[in-house]
Amino acid sequence: MARQQDQQLSLDLTRPPQWLSLAPEAYGRMVNRLGVLITKRARKRGADFQVHEAMEAIHAACHACGGIDPYDGQALRPVPVLLLGGKDAEAASGAVLWRSPTLIHRTPLHDCDFEVVSWQTAQARAVLPADDYIAHCRAVVAWVEAGASCGADS
């Protein structure tokens, strides 16, 4: 019973950001699942933070980004089926997938500090052809020259 109350308190603390367009229950499940996944992975690499700490950091990152990729200033396009898991993810178009939000570590993997960015930003150098990567880099430069700070600097 005490465990259910603790989980309920966590879910009450995690109100979905408006840009994400998820029901509170779905958002709470997403934050919980990500918190467990990230904590397990980080512990294998020597981190010592708890699931609740990860959930709070995930929640803070979701609210901090405001639906904008902090590196290129472009809007994120939430795809709920991707965030919650499901077979329909394969049916989504590539353009939608590139702008889907994903969570990355802001600092080394041992820290519980995250930010929400697009898949495009997270995977840019590893996946994009040269012309697409250059176009993405130009968007990043334009964003920074316009006076915005890059996600790594904030």
Side-chain angles (χ1 to χ4, degrees):
M1 182 69 177
R3 184 171 185 227
Q4 284 181 334
Q5 288 176 339
D6 288 344
Q7 286 180 334
Q8 188 62 40
L9 287 175
S10 294
L11 295 178
D12 286 342
L13 294 174
T14 55
R15 305 236 187 272
Q18 194 169 11
W19 69 268
L20 203 47
S21 301
L22 286 175
E25 299 80 22
Y27 177 72
R29 282 192 308 273
M30 180 195 76
V31 170
N32 188 308
R33 288 177 183 169
L34 286 171
V36 169
L37 174 75
I38 288 169
T39 302
K40 282 183 180 180
R41 187 180 306 144
R43 283 185 183 158
K44 290 179 183 178
R45 295 181 174 126
D48 63 351
F49 56 83
Q50 301 297 313
V51 172
H52 184 71
E53 292 173 276
M55 289 173 60
E56 288 177 352
I58 292 164
H59 175 64
C62 287
H63 279 277
C65 85
I68 302 294
D69 186 313
Y71 289 87
D72 63 20
Q74 297 179 39
L76 298 171
R77 294 188 193 137
V79 181
V81 72
L82 293 174
L83 295 171
L84 303 173
K87 294 180 181 177
D88 294 333
E90 297 170 13
S93 75
V96 171
L97 294 179
W98 274 125
R99 299 312 304 167
S100 294
T102 191
L103 195 69
I104 63 171
H105 283 270
R106 186 187 310 258
T107 57
L109 296 176
H110 300 307
D111 292 338
C112 191
D113 186 17
F114 311 106
E115 63 185 341
V116 177
V117 299
S118 67
W119 279 17
Q120 182 178 23
T121 295
Q123 300 295 320
R125 288 190 287 175
V127 178
L128 289 177
D131 291 341
D132 290 343
Y133 179 65
I134 290 169
H136 183 68
C137 289
R138 286 186 178 132
V140 172
V141 169
W143 178 246
V144 172
E145 286 179 347
S149 64
C150 187
D153 297 334
S154 49

